Amino acid sequence: MCCPLLRNAWTCETADHPVSAKLTTDAGDSETVNVDKGDFQTVGQGLGKPMTTLVELRVTG
């Protein structure tokens, strides 16, 4: 299943399942963050980094 890109992502939060989130910047840099079940991870501008776009979100558990 495909979903549209989510621009201006600054945090990833989960509830019942852990996820892996792939993010990119306008400059083309990318990173993948893993977020445990019931947790959150600050990304991009939330960390004082460039704005990020969520390009892939996978449930990992």
Side-chain angles (χ1 to χ4, degrees), residues 8-12 21 23 31-35 40-54:
N8 303 327
W10 53 272
T11 190
C12 293
L23 304 127
E31 79 173 304
T32 300
V33 295
N34 296 305
V35 187
F40 72 95
Q41 180 80 31
T42 305
V43 298
Q45 285 183 309
L47 295 171
K49 295 181 179 180
M51 179 176 37
T52 55
T53 299
L54 176 66

Side-chain angles (χ1 to χ4, degrees), residues 1-23:
M1 181 155 110
C2 184
C3 65
L5 302 177
L6 179 61
R7 296 196 41 81
N8 303 327
W10 53 272
T11 190
C12 293
E13 185 174 2
T14 64
D16 297 329
H17 302 282
V19 299
S20 174
K22 182 177 180 183
L23 304 127

